[in-house]
Amino acid sequence: MIRGFRSFLIDFSLVILVGLAVYVLSFGDSFSSIIQLPNSVFHMNTIFLSILIEALPFVLIGVLIAGIIQIFVTEDHIKRWIPKNPILAIIMSCFVGALFPACECGIVPIVRRLLAKGVPIHAGIGFLLTGPLINPLVILSTYMAFGNDFKIAASRMILGFLIAVLISIIISVMFKSNQLKHTIEVQQTHTISHNHGSQSIFSKLGHTVTHAVDEFFDMGKYLIVGALLAAFVQTYVSSEALLELGSGQVSSTAVMMGLAYLLSLCSEADAFIAASFSNVFPTTAILGFLIYGPMTDLKNTMMMLSVFKTRFVILFVLIVTIVVFSVLTLLDGFY
C-alpha cells in the first residue's frame, strides 16, 4: 500500500509540475519578460497543449471503461466470450474493435485490463488495432474529409481490417503469453477482482472510479511525454523536407507512414490532414497515412512501453510497419 501511495504521489507531482510549466509558458507574463524564449518554444507549447486537449477526453473514457472491466468483468466471462480458436478470436476481436469508438490513446488502458483478465494477446492486439482505425466515427470523418467520397473511407475500413487480422495472426504465432510488463500487478488485480463479487453495486462503482483514477495517472505521464515528443517533432522537423523525399510511388508511402508516426494525430481528425496531401501523393501513400497512424504512432508507442514488455513493443511496431508497407506496395497498381 505504501508503494502504491508513493507511486501515486510521484505521478500526481509530475502532472502538477507539467501543468505549472505549461501555465508559465502560456500565461506567465512576468516570466516571459525576464527570460526571452524563442517563438518556436511557444509554438511547440501550443502544439503540445492541442495534442493533450485532443487526447485527454478519449483517455478519460478509456480509463473509465478499464475500471468497469476491472470490477464488473470476470475471468469466467472472458472464457465464455472469447472463442478458443485463435483465428476466430482474432476476427471477433477485430469486429468488436471496429464497432468501438476509441482513439489510439484510450484503447491502451482498455487492452491492458482485458489482457490482465485473461484475453489472449492476439485477440487483444486485434482489438487494439481496429478500435482507433475503423470505428464508425473515424470512417464518418474520413468520408467527410475527402469530399463525401466513399472510396478512401471504404479502402481504409476494408484494408485496415484485413491488415489488422494479418498482424494479429503474426502476433499469435510469435507470442503466446500476455506480454504485460507488470506481471505482479496482474496477479494482484486478479486476486482483488475475485473479492468484488460479494460487494454492493455502490461499492463496486466506487472501486471502478478508484481504478479509473489510478489508471489515468499511470497512463497520463506517458501521454504527456509522448505528446511532448510529438510536439517537438512537429515544431523542429520540417515536413517539407520529408515531402521532398517522397517523389516515387514506394518512397511516398514510406514518407506518409513516417509522417503519420511522428505527427501522432488523433484518428478522428487525421483524415482532414491526409486530404490536404491528396493532390501531392498517390492514393496508396494517403492510405499509408490513414492506416498506419492509428495502429502505431509516437505517443502511442510511449504509452505501450509503459504497459507491455519493451521487446514486444519494438517487434510490434516493426511488424505493423512491415505489414502495412508491404500490403500497400503490393496494391499500388490497383489505385
Side-chain angles (χ1 to χ4, degrees):
M1 183 174 178
I2 295 175
R3 185 181 175 187
F5 179 73
R6 187 187 302 158
S7 175
F8 172 80
L9 197 61
I10 293 172
D11 295 346
F12 186 73
S13 302
L14 175 64
V15 172
I16 294 296
L17 285 174
V18 171
L20 282 174
V22 169
Y23 175 79
V24 168
L25 282 173
S26 303
F27 307 105
D29 295 334
S30 57
F31 174 80
S32 59
S33 62
I34 297 173
I35 300 177
Q36 294 295 324
L37 293 173
N39 289 332
S40 59
V41 174
F42 294 100
H43 181 59
M44 185 179 77
N45 183 52
T46 302
I47 296 174
F48 168 68
L49 281 178
S50 67
I51 294 175
L52 272 189
I53 292 170
E54 191 177 56
L56 277 176
F58 294 99
V59 175
L60 287 171
I61 294 171
V63 297
L64 187 59
I65 294 173
I68 292 172
I69 291 171
Q70 175 62 26
I71 303 301
F72 290 95
V73 179
T74 67
E75 288 84 347
D76 292 335
H77 292 147
I78 299 292
K79 287 177 183 174
R80 286 201 299 268
W81 294 341
I82 303 292
K84 294 190 183 304
N85 184 292
I87 301 298
L88 292 178
I90 288 170
I91 293 174
M92 190 200 80
S93 65
C94 288
F95 268 117
V96 173
L99 299 173
F100 196 83
C103 82
E104 57 274 19
C105 301
I107 202 79
V108 174
I110 298 173
V111 171
R112 170 160 75 166
R113 284 300 158 197
L114 287 174
L115 294 181
K117 288 287 185 180
V119 171
I121 183 68
H122 46 268
I125 291 301
F127 185 75
L128 183 142
L129 291 173
T130 55
L133 176 62
I134 51 177
N135 70 63
L137 291 177
V138 171
I139 297 305
L140 179 62
S141 68
T142 306
Y143 173 73
M144 294 175 64
F146 286 86
N148 296 343
D149 182 1
F150 197 61
K151 179 184 175 184
I152 296 294
S155 298
R156 184 181 200 181
M157 186 166 54
I158 296 170
L159 282 178
F161 185 87
L162 295 176
I163 289 172
V165 170
L166 182 57
I167 292 171
S168 300
I169 291 173
I170 295 172
I171 293 291
S172 72
V173 173
M174 294 181 64
F175 300 96
K176 302 301 179 186
S177 59
N178 65 22
Q179 297 301 310
L180 289 176
K181 182 181 285 183
H182 304 297
T183 53
I184 295 176
E185 180 195 350
V186 172
Q187 291 168 359
Q188 288 174 341
T189 54
H190 278 188
T191 304
I192 292 169
S193 66
H194 285 303
N195 296 329
H196 287 307
S198 58
Q199 295 178 354
S200 68
I201 185 66
F202 295 106
S203 178
K204 286 183 177 180
L205 289 175
H207 284 294
T208 299
V209 174
T210 303
H211 278 287
V213 171
D214 290 342
E215 199 89 38
F216 177 77
F217 281 106
D218 199 22
M219 288 282 105
K221 56 191 175 188
Y222 296 97
L223 173 66
I224 289 171
V225 174
L228 190 60
L229 287 174
F232 178 85
V233 169
Q234 289 191 44
T235 305
Y236 295 104
V237 176
S238 170
S239 57
E240 288 78 9
L242 290 174
L243 293 177
E244 288 178 3
L245 298 174
S247 55
Q249 292 278 352
V250 175
S251 60
S252 61
T253 302
V255 165
M256 287 301 283
M257 287 172 61
L259 270 179
Y261 185 85
L262 295 174
L263 295 180
S264 301
L265 300 170
C266 182
S267 58
E268 270 82 7
D270 62 356
F272 295 94
I273 304 299
S276 66
F277 292 109
S278 58
N279 294 326
V280 182
F281 288 129
T283 303
T284 48
I286 301 299
L287 287 173
F289 186 91
L290 292 172
I291 293 174
Y292 184 68
M295 287 185 168
T296 181
D297 62 29
L298 190 56
K299 70 177 188 308
N300 172 268
T301 302
M302 292 299 300
M303 296 181 74
M304 287 189 69
L305 283 171
S306 71
V307 173
F308 297 102
K309 296 173 183 173
T310 303
R311 177 176 174 272
F312 173 78
V313 176
I314 293 172
L315 287 174
F316 171 79
V317 174
L318 280 175
I319 292 168
V320 172
T321 304
I322 292 170
V323 172
V324 172
F325 182 77
S326 301
V327 170
L328 291 176
T329 302
L330 288 173
L331 292 175
D332 196 37
F334 293 93
Y335 285 95

